[in-house]
Amino acid sequence: MTSVASILSPVPGRIADTLRGVADAVRGVGMALRHRFDLLRGEAPPDAHTPPLRFFAAEFAELFAPAFRLFKAPLPIERAEHPRVIILLPGFAANPQSMKRMARELERAGHTVKRWGLGSNYGPTPENFELLAQRVSSVRQRYGQDVVLIGWSLGGIFAREVAKMEPDCIAKVITMGTPFSHTPYSNNMWRIYQAIVGHHVEEPPVKANVAEKPPVETVAFWSPRDGAISRRSACGLPDERDRAVALRCSHMGFCYSSEAILALAEELKR
């Protein structure tokens, strides 16, 4: 028969192992938090160009605007003579819901609008680049038509890079407030981005020359009132895109403002 002593004797060792495991986990969390805090404290190089802080502060007032704009009257958008197949790519920490008004209005014009299929956008990885490339190829095959990629902010980086991977599937890339030019510090978001994704903006987990123009028609929407991304970064140089289109919206406004949606409708006619 098993004695009480033989049952109880291993317990202190098990408790010690458990306590050591908890201590290791706490140390790991502490190191991770210190690393993220260090990423918040970096310094931008002297050549970085950032939007005025008054515009950046105004972006926070825009956070609640999309919910109200969903209930506004439809825009005066004409039916497209040549409807396009479109994939919308959301910005950093955003999901397809943030571009719902844009999708609805473009569909009213007769376009077919598809989600990108990756949920919320928390930065590029080789895996989600490949998944998006497969998504583009699948949509192209399903509809028998080259796809237009419309990328807001960080979503535009995905659009440009996937267009380099699948150029035969893509008709056009349109970026909106996308930081593809100048330096990765030419914006007011790089510290927040680093702290969330856990790596420096100069050390992304993918190998990409984001300033290099994709081998398809590439149009850059930018705004002098963008509080997040520098106009130098979002507009780009002539050899980094085919055309640049200036709007007057905020950074948040790119994904739902009437101005941006109407400008897209016009661009899709070209």
Side-chain angles (χ1 to χ4, degrees):
M1 179 179 291
T2 305
S3 66
V4 174
S6 64
I7 296 174
L8 294 179
S9 59
V11 171
R14 292 173 183 169
I15 294 175
D17 289 342
T18 300
L19 292 176
R20 280 193 293 270
V22 170
D24 289 342
V26 170
R27 280 195 295 271
V29 171
M31 291 175 63
L33 289 175
R34 283 194 296 271
H35 175 63
R36 300 298 175 111
F37 183 73
D38 289 341
L39 291 172
L40 275 172
R41 298 189 301 176
E43 292 295 330
D47 63 336
H49 180 267
T50 55
L53 290 179
R54 69 182 185 278
F55 290 157
F56 186 52
E59 295 289 347
F60 292 94
E62 297 275 356
L63 291 175
F64 304 101
F68 295 104
R69 293 184 185 236
L70 283 175
F71 301 102
K72 289 200 170 186
L75 294 174
I77 293 182
E78 298 177 358
R79 294 287 295 182
E81 292 185 14
H82 304 286
R84 305 291 195 113
V85 177
I86 298 165
I87 296 179
L88 298 181
L89 291 73
F92 178 57
N95 58 41
Q97 187 69 18
S98 63
M99 305 178 82
K100 186 174 181 179
R101 188 189 187 215
M102 177 180 290
R104 184 187 67 188
E105 295 293 343
L106 293 178
E107 286 176 338
R108 283 186 54 245
H111 303 293
T112 300
V113 181
K114 309 298 291 184
R115 295 188 176 197
W116 75 327
L118 297 179
S120 297
N121 186 348
Y122 284 105
T125 65
E127 292 77 18
N128 58 25
F129 270 8
E130 183 58 36
L131 286 172
L132 183 57
Q134 293 174 11
R135 169 71 168 160
V136 169
S137 179
S138 175
V139 171
R140 169 65 179 83
Q141 184 175 9
R142 177 180 176 183
Y143 291 94
Q145 181 184 141
D146 289 349
V147 179
V148 176
L149 300 183
I150 300 177
W152 169 42
S153 195
L154 181 61
I157 297 294
F158 279 78
R160 288 173 63 96
E161 293 308 306
V162 169
K164 298 171 187 176
M165 299 168 65
E166 296 286 348
D168 293 338
C169 295
I170 297 170
K172 179 185 295 193
V173 168
I174 304 173
T175 61
M176 304 184 298
T178 293
F180 66 88
S181 186
H182 211 240
T183 83
Y185 297 94
S186 290
N187 58 80
N188 283 324
M189 292 295 296
W190 65 269
R191 289 186 179 88
I192 298 173
Y193 176 84
Q194 288 187 164
I196 292 176
V197 301
H199 63 76
H200 290 278
V201 290
E202 290 184 333
E203 300 172 356
V206 293
K207 293 182 179 180
N209 179 6
V210 296
E212 180 185 12
K213 194 188 88 66
V216 301
E217 184 181 3
T218 304
V219 183
F221 283 16
W222 65 280
S223 171
R225 300 189 64 83
D226 190 325
I229 308 300
S230 163
R231 63 182 183 274
R232 296 184 183 179
S233 184
C235 177
L237 299 175
D239 64 333
E240 295 169 345
R241 39 67 177 170
D242 292 298
R243 288 183 295 108
V245 177
L247 305 181
R248 297 290 296 177
C249 62
S250 66
H251 187 73
M252 295 293 293
F254 276 116
C255 69
Y256 60 77
S257 72
S258 298
E259 178 191 17
I261 295 170
L262 291 172
L264 281 174
E266 287 298 312
E267 182 61 41
L268 291 169
K269 293 180 182 179
R270 295 177 65 97

